[in-house]
């Protein structure tokens, strides 16, 4: 978040007269970096408890779902944005067109929106099936984003592939009449055309590959358990619920799932009802840990280096099965 903010500040002439708006601003973890540098901000987030935390950080937050109606309300109050941030929210909204129209409404003529979405190309190529669940309503490519923004008088002016969440797109969007696209936009669009991301054949064998991954992971976990190995899981994220239920891995194979969040500890993984515990209990030294939050594999393995030093091994199921 800090690096993203510093990048925006280096490319935009922001001052105490500017306004940075973030949609789905959470607890203000991104906007706080603007506040530290004296740039006025406003967050929009529908969760009052989280908005309260953000306000405690000095991040003014409107507790609401962002929409074109909210955008019109802000404009009527004299609040238009030099920069709009929207990280991992565009894929969640039911009224996609209303949401994008709201960005167009609230964005100043020379403003820029910085939007991050999980990249459908990575999802398909890396077999990331477990990121498909109820709150993700859309899966975007560069081609689909271009069409969506054009429909509302906006244009892609910058684009970058970033590794977060198993592979995401970060795009910069401006009003069409002020759009000056970087070469990255054309390059990524051409790369998609050559790869066939906009064609059915790119997606047609996805289900078979997911089924193959299921068989491989179940076979390994069952074999290790049958040999007397103690197996745990790590990461009680939504993707863990999808993966464990589809793979048919329950308490008969995994003793528990460790997760850093105290709000999840003491609860259970839905469906398979595997108990969730604190990572501190890895001191009990299970032989293998199935890394369910594989999108943060390197970070988690670094955090749990003492467990690995004691001989523990991680099973990483996605994008390809491996034991480290």
């Amino acid at each position: 978040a800090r690096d993203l903010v510093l990048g925006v500040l280096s490319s935009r002439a922001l001052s105490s007269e500017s306004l940075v708006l973030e949609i789905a601003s959470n607890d203000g973890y991104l906007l706080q970096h603007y506040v530290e540098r004296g740039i006025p901000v406003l967050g929009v987030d529908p969760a009052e408890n989280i908005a309260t935390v953000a306000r405690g950080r000095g991040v003014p937050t409107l507790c609401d779902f962002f929409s074109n109606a909210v955008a019109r309300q802000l404009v009527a109050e004299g609040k238009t944005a030099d920069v709009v941030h929207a990280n991992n929210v565009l894929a969640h909204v039911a009224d996609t067109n209303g949401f994008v129209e709201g960005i167009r409404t609230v964005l100043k003529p020379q403003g820029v929106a910085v939007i991050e979405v999980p990249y459908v190309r990575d999802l398909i190529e890396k077999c990331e099936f477990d990121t498909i669940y109820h709150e993700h309503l859309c899966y975007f490519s560069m081609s689909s984003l271009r069409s969506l923004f054009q429909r509302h008088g906006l244009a892609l002016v910058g684009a970058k592939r970033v590794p977060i969440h198993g592979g995401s797109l970060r795009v910069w969007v401006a009003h069409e009449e002020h759009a000056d696209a970087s070469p990255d936009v054309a390059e990524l669009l051409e790369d998609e055309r050559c790869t066939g991301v906009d064609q059915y054949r790119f997606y047609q064998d996805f289900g078979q590959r997911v089924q193959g991954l299921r068989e491989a992971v179940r076979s390994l976990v069952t074999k290790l358990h049958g040999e007397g190995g103690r197996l745990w899981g790590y990461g009680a994220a939504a993707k863990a619920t999808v993966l464990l239920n589809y793979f048919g891995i329950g308490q008969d194979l995994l003793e528990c799932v460790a997760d850093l969040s105290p709000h999840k500890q003491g609860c259970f993984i839905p469906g398979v009802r595997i108990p969730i515990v604190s990572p501190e209990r890895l001191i009990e030294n299970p032989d293998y840990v199935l890394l369910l939050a594989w999108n943060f594999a390197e970070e988690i393995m670094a955090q749990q280096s003492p467990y690995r030093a004691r001989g523990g091994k991680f099973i990483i199921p996605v994008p390809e099965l491996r034991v480290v």
Side-chain angles (χ1 to χ4, degrees):
R2 185 189 308 108
D3 290 344
L4 176 55
V5 169
L6 291 176
V8 171
L9 290 173
S10 69
S11 62
R12 313 293 297 183
L14 301 182
S15 69
S16 59
E17 303 300 316
S18 305
L19 177 65
V20 176
L21 174 74
E22 185 180 10
I23 303 165
S25 50
N26 207 281
D27 61 2
Y29 68 89
L30 186 146
L31 290 180
Q32 66 180 331
H33 298 294
Y34 286 107
V35 172
E36 290 170 359
R37 290 157 180 83
I39 308 298
V41 303
L42 176 64
V44 181
D45 197 283
E48 183 58 58
N49 58 333
I50 292 176
T52 300
V53 174
R55 294 179 193 121
R57 283 179 161 172
V59 176
T61 304
L62 171 65
C63 189
D64 206 339
F65 286 96
F66 182 80
S67 64
N68 194 30
V70 168
R72 290 196 301 266
Q73 172 191 328
L74 292 174
V75 172
E77 296 170 358
K79 297 173 182 174
T80 54
D82 297 86
V83 178
V84 174
H85 283 283
N87 286 347
N88 292 294
V89 59
L90 183 60
H92 297 189
V93 296
D95 183 10
T96 308
N97 286 294
F99 186 93
V100 174
E101 183 65 18
I103 292 176
R104 188 200 66 78
T105 297
V106 80
L107 190 65
K108 288 181 180 178
Q110 303 284 352
V112 65
V114 187
I115 300 168
E116 212 169 278
V117 295
Y119 192 15
V120 71
R121 177 175 177 178
D122 286 309
L123 185 151
I124 298 299
E125 289 184 339
K126 300 177 185 176
C127 217
E128 297 171 353
F129 75 97
D130 51 352
T131 62
I132 300 173
Y133 50 86
H134 67 287
E135 71 182 34
H136 294 159
L137 304 181
C138 293
Y139 301 87
F140 291 102
S141 64
M142 282 289 291
S143 310
S144 63
L145 286 172
R146 178 179 58 177
S147 298
L148 173 61
F149 293 130
Q150 282 180 341
R151 195 178 304 150
H152 299 277
L154 298 169
L156 295 170
V157 295
K160 179 182 181 182
R161 294 181 72 171
V162 291
I164 190 73
H165 297 309
S168 297
L169 279 174
R170 181 181 296 155
V171 297
W172 287 258
V173 178
H175 291 281
E176 278 185 335
E177 59 269 29
H178 299 290
D180 185 14
S182 73
D184 295 335
V185 173
E187 289 171 10
L188 280 171
L189 285 167
E190 176 62 15
D191 194 33
E192 282 193 358
R193 189 190 66 79
C194 294
T195 310
V197 175
D198 59 347
Q199 302 295 319
Y200 172 72
R201 58 181 171 80
F202 182 75
Y203 305 88
Q204 66 186 89
D205 68 341
F206 180 63
Q208 294 175 339
R209 290 167 47 223
V210 173
Q211 185 174 348
L213 183 62
R214 176 186 188 274
E215 292 168 358
V217 173
R218 264 200 65 85
S219 175
L220 174 64
V221 169
T222 302
K223 173 178 176 291
L224 294 174
H225 184 268
E227 293 171 348
R230 294 180 61 208
L231 284 85
W232 288 22
Y234 195 106
K239 56 166 43 70
T241 299
V242 175
L243 186 146
L244 292 172
N245 278 275
Y246 174 64
F247 282 4
I249 296 175
Q251 272 190 285
D252 56 327
L253 296 173
L254 291 190
E255 292 180 23
C256 56
V257 173
D259 194 281
L260 271 175
S261 172
H263 302 292
K264 297 180 181 180
Q265 294 162 13
C267 298
F268 297 84
I269 301 290
V272 291
R273 295 193 59 77
I274 300 173
I276 302 169
V277 302
S278 166
E280 294 176 359
R281 286 188 52 187
L282 283 173
I283 193 71
E284 297 176 26
N285 281 351
D287 300 292
Y288 299 92
V289 171
L290 179 61
L291 191 44
L292 302 165
W294 50 261
N295 51 320
F296 295 114
E298 298 305 320
E299 179 182 341
I300 291 170
M301 288 192 293
Q303 289 172 353
Q304 301 303 328
S305 55
Y307 164 71
R308 298 182 73 193
R310 294 191 299 269
K313 292 183 170 60
F314 280 97
I315 303 169
I316 303 177
V318 179
E320 58 186 22
L321 179 60
R322 56 194 176 106
V323 180
V324 295

